[in-house]
Amino acid sequence: MAQQQEEWEVMKVFEQFRGKSLDDVKKYMSQFDSETDFLKTIKLTDNPVKKDRDLLNAAVAHAKKLSIPLTDGGTKRQDMSKTLGAYPSKDMNPTLGEKQSGKATPPVDGKRLKELKEKDGEIQKLHDEGKVTPPVDGKRLKELKEKDREIQQLHDEYRNLTLLMEERNGFWSQQEEKMEKLSEKNSDLEKHIKSLEEEKKHLEDRLGKEHAQSVHLDGFCRDLEKELKRQYKEKEQINKDHQRQLNEIREERDELKSRFSKLAGDKLHDNNADIADLSDPNRAMKLSEKFGQLYDDQWTDAFEEMMKNKNIKGTQKEATVFLIEMLQKAFDFCETTANNHFERLKEVVLSPFGKSDTKARVKSREERMLKDARRQIAAYDSVIDEIKKGFISTLTDPKIKEHVRITKPFLELSVEICWMMVLHEPPLYMDMSVRIGEPFDTNKYTSNTASGKTVEFLVWPPLFNGKGGGLLSKGVVSTQKIIGRK
């Protein structure tokens, strides 16, 4: 009940100032000595619930809350505290009539504002008629407060919407700036794409031209390759023909040369061993070279194998003696085989019906022809292989089985060279006659040890062009400085 009385008092004071200008209010208030006298004129109770100054301040706050103008002519709103400037208060709320930082007051609901204006007009009409405003109904006052609360909520919503719109506007402004930048970038990209497309077109045109040129060049290269192959085949055929003709000419030349050498050799070589047939690959000097290589290479290898073989216990002298004995056996084997072979050859050639006394019937010229034929046939690989196998098969002594195994390369090459030596005309001669203690003859031998005056033993024999012929290669001996009795 006290709250309703308080609200009625505030509205009563508020209605007293509605519609008055600042000058009218000041002139009206100057008639009273105090707030109490003023309040008595508006027929309030002698003891109001609110105090005088608090009541005036409450009326001013209510006016600010409703944002209702103090005048009807659309003039600027005036703060109730300015209207009541003679009655300041430290608890007074901020002014109502001042501009709010340049911001417009949010609009209220139009329908509601119209109703309020109609009510305001009714109140003003009653005031002008001098009628006393009856006390405000509590239910009506509660409805007004709820309406005021709704209006305030609408104001708050409006302010929130305004802030949201400002944020949205700022957001959209930023988006528009971004869109402008993107648009500019897009424009630049379109220009760049256009430039790339033009460049692509230019490159495609250029590639097409180059492809056409490449196709033309490929065709030209294929034609050129065919022509080169044709010319190469022609040249190759010409070279083959020339080579064939050249080989025929060489064969004819060699044949003529061989026949000429044969005729000349027959005349010169008859009973003259010092004159060599230069067309013979197995002439004396060539055989002498092979004989020297046999000592330098195969003999040295065989000697080293015997020295490091644990199954063969012997001195260097014993190894040397074994190798020189094997060389002598190979020579003797070849000499015997050659003589037997020549005798059988004469029987086959000169006696169609079997054995006969062919020696009386063979003259020197025919014998020489048979020997030359034998030498040519004896140089065949198949014949030489038979000679090697035949010689190795004769070395059956168990005591020298290991020696033969490790020195087989030396033995095979020795019998091959000896075979050609005994077939030479005249047969080459190995001098094995040197004896221990003989003076060292530097004309026929070289020493493989420290220089001495006498022969200790024979290492390698000297070779002569026939027995009693010229020296072809020196022999090798081991020498000693002192020999004899002490």
Side-chain angles (χ1 to χ4, degrees), residues 348-359:
V348 172
V349 173
L350 299 178
S351 180
F353 300 104
K355 293 184 178 181
S356 63
D357 189 7
T358 57
K359 293 183 179 180

Side-chain angles (χ1 to χ4, degrees), residues 276-318:
D277 183 5
L278 299 180
S279 64
D280 186 5
N282 291 313
R283 60 186 180 271
M285 289 303 299
K286 289 293 183 180
L287 293 175
S288 175
E289 293 175 2
K290 293 179 181 181
F291 190 71
Q293 290 177 356
L294 175 64
Y295 171 73
D296 293 334
D297 299 332
Q298 280 71 24
W299 184 93
T300 303
D301 295 340
F303 180 81
E304 291 177 354
E305 288 293 330
M306 292 179 68
M307 288 294 98
K308 66 182 181 182
N309 192 296
K310 296 180 180 180
N311 296 326
I312 300 175
K313 298 179 181 180
T315 63
Q316 293 183 1
K317 181 178 179 180
E318 290 174 346

Side-chain angles (χ1 to χ4, degrees), residues 121-132:
E122 292 176 2
I123 294 171
Q124 184 65 32
K125 184 176 181 180
L126 292 173
H127 176 74
D128 293 340
E129 292 176 355
K131 295 180 180 181
V132 178

